[in-house]
Amino acid sequence: MARIAYRDADVDLMARMMRAEAEGEGKQGMLYVGNVIVNRVVADCPDFNDLRNVEDVIFQVQGGNYSFEAVQKGNMFYQRARDSERRLAEQNLKHWRQHPAKYALWYFNPYGPCPPTWYDQPFSGQFKLHCFYEPAPGTCESVYIG
């Protein structure tokens, strides 16, 4: 059983975002980005209340900007999805979850070491250049269920 309901268009969209955000970090890095995308669909918490599918997550606007930089800055996001990234996206959608992004709802690539918190969310781990953050205890329990 898949972690969330999805269509072929969702697989393409997610594959494009995973590549645009983490191609330099290899398949593992792209899978971690995919974890965050699926976790945001699953999450029923303030930042993500109205997100119910992959498209909602990818095109979410917060503070006047898209949540994912690649939507407005990256031409890589607007290239056609490749089969290899589509397979990775399907892995995430169906079952794949792993630390440090297993329950992460946020990630970013800092100019220095990963800070212990990011907007008051605790650091869950790092993979190559990306730092991952889970929700603070008691703030978004749904991400731990789905």
Side-chain angles (χ1 to χ4, degrees):
M1 182 171 169
R3 291 189 59 216
I4 61 171
Y6 65 92
R7 306 162 299 149
D8 283 343
D10 296 320
V11 175
D12 277 350
L13 188 60
M14 193 164 144
R16 290 173 26 218
M17 181 56 69
M18 291 164 66
R19 179 180 68 217
E21 290 281 319
E23 182 176 43
E25 298 192 358
K27 291 178 181 178
Q28 192 81 12
M30 288 188 279
L31 283 166
Y32 290 140
V33 167
N35 270 174
V36 170
I37 292 167
V38 175
N39 288 346
R40 287 183 180 189
V41 174
V42 171
D44 190 19
C45 48
D47 286 348
F48 310 109
N49 271 341
D50 298 324
L51 308 181
R52 293 295 160 242
N53 58 55
V54 170
E55 185 175 359
D56 289 348
V57 169
I58 301 293
F59 294 108
Q60 180 187 26
V61 174
Q62 292 179 308
N65 294 304
Y66 287 103
S67 294
F68 293 95
E69 252 182 49
V71 174
Q72 61 193 63
K73 292 185 179 178
N75 65 0
M76 192 179 279
F77 173 67
Y78 292 99
Q79 295 174 8
R80 195 171 73 73
R82 297 183 292 209
D83 288 341
S84 58
E85 287 106 20
R86 286 180 51 79
R87 284 191 296 275
L88 293 175
E90 284 189 83
Q91 269 186 272
N92 281 124
L93 290 161
K94 290 179 180 176
H95 61 82
W96 196 91
R97 292 175 93 175
Q98 198 170 76
H99 180 77
K102 186 171 186 176
Y103 304 115
L105 291 173
W106 303 273
Y107 65 87
F108 82 111
N109 182 346
Y111 293 106
C114 296
T117 61
W118 193 51
Y119 295 100
D120 297 323
Q121 308 306 319
F123 175 65
S124 60
Q126 181 175 357
F127 182 75
K128 295 190 179 181
L129 299 176
H130 281 103
C131 305
F132 292 88
Y133 295 84
E134 294 182 7
T139 62
C140 190
E141 299 305 315
S142 58
V143 79
Y144 298 102
I145 298 167

